Amino acid sequence: MSEPRILTRGIVFGESPRWHDGRLWFSDWGAGRVIALDADGGQETIARVDSFPMCIDFRPDGALLVVDSAHRRLLRRDDDGSMRRYADLSAISDKPWNDIVVDPRGNTYVNSIGFDFPGGEFAPGLIVVVGPDGGVRRVADDLAFPNGMAVTADGATLVVAESYAERLTAYRITADGGLADRRVWAETPGDHPDGICVDAEGLVWYADVGNRHCVRVAEGGAIAQRVAFDRGAFACALDRSEDPHLYVVGQNWGGDETEEPSGVVAVFPAPAPGAGRP
């Protein structure tokens, strides 16, 4: 692949990219902002939430949902721009809440890594589902640092990156929004997958911070493509165009940070557009 085009710079800690309504949306955890980018890099601040992590996704009606990990809750942005509580996560876990994905029926999946990071003693993480009515229930356990999540185009399967286990794990989404029939979707030996997305050919892209790349992998583990990055790749997203592109958010991490924000959004050509959720 060719060298990436840098769409924007100066991000403090970029994460959770989502293609929505013709623009790339992402969270700057370090600045407490949800940002939408247009094709030439123009920015609009959509919401401000002082939280780290602060992942985002969208309900089927287009409403923005934001994981407010600092207050262990899920927020919804109303049409007037105000943020209100959509679900209370505090009864399930007081550990950091991380990624989010919403399926086509409006079931919202949110995961918790299960321990204080960095520095805390490892403990397995979990996934909850928030129903369209705001009710919360646990639907998966024993995940080794659950990270990015995606739902396949048919709405039938949820895939989650287990960063510490070096694999992508899949579940069948049941009629009531539960998760069943856990299986390994792909082993990623030597890689620690972070944010993920699904493409129209059914393959998954995952970002890897330590190895500074994004990898396109088929179910079963066959690698179809790899793109190198010049800093930690935290998450990725695909647009839905006839000339598809992969958007990667990343920054320096692990001893080479500078005083100036190193976060960027980079754009690579991609072989297939995005599909499913996010």
Side-chain angles (χ1 to χ4, degrees), residues 141-216:
D141 291 291
D142 297 322
L143 292 158
F145 202 128
N147 229 318
M149 294 190 294
V151 174
T152 54
D154 59 6
T157 302
L158 181 142
V159 181
V160 56
E162 287 192 82
S163 296
Y164 277 16
E166 301 182 0
R167 67 187 174 211
L168 302 176
T169 296
Y171 297 88
R172 177 175 58 86
I173 299 175
T174 63
D176 66 352
L179 299 179
D181 302 332
R182 176 175 178 164
R183 70 182 191 276
V184 174
W185 198 89
E187 301 282 2
T188 64
D191 277 2
H192 301 86
D194 197 323
I196 68 173
C197 61
V198 180
D199 73 18
E201 296 178 357
L203 280 71
V204 169
W205 281 96
Y206 67 81
D208 184 295
V209 177
N211 289 308
R212 297 188 170 196
H213 61 201
C214 290
V215 178
R216 183 175 182 242

Side-chain angles (χ1 to χ4, degrees), residues 88 101 182 190-191 195 244 250 254 257 274:
D88 181 5
V101 68
R182 176 175 178 164
D191 277 2
E257 296 88 345

Side-chain angles (χ1 to χ4, degrees), residues 5-9 19 22-24 26 35-44 247 265 267:
R5 175 170 64 94
I6 303 301
L7 189 58
T8 192
R9 299 181 183 272
W19 187 259
R23 294 193 290 178
L24 184 80
F26 70 98
I35 300 166
L37 289 178
D38 58 31
D40 62 4
Q43 294 188 19
E44 179 186 0
Y247 295 80
V265 177
V267 187

Side-chain angles (χ1 to χ4, degrees), residues 37 82 94 102 127 135 165 170 174 187-188 209 217 239 259:
L37 289 178
S82 61
D94 63 357
V102 185
I127 303 173
T174 63
E187 301 282 2
T188 64
V209 177
V217 63
D239 62 23
E259 292 183 3

Side-chain angles (χ1 to χ4, degrees), residues 20-42:
H20 175 71
D21 203 18
R23 294 193 290 178
L24 184 80
W25 300 52
F26 70 98
S27 298
D28 186 343
W29 292 2
R33 295 194 298 157
V34 177
I35 300 166
L37 289 178
D38 58 31
D40 62 4

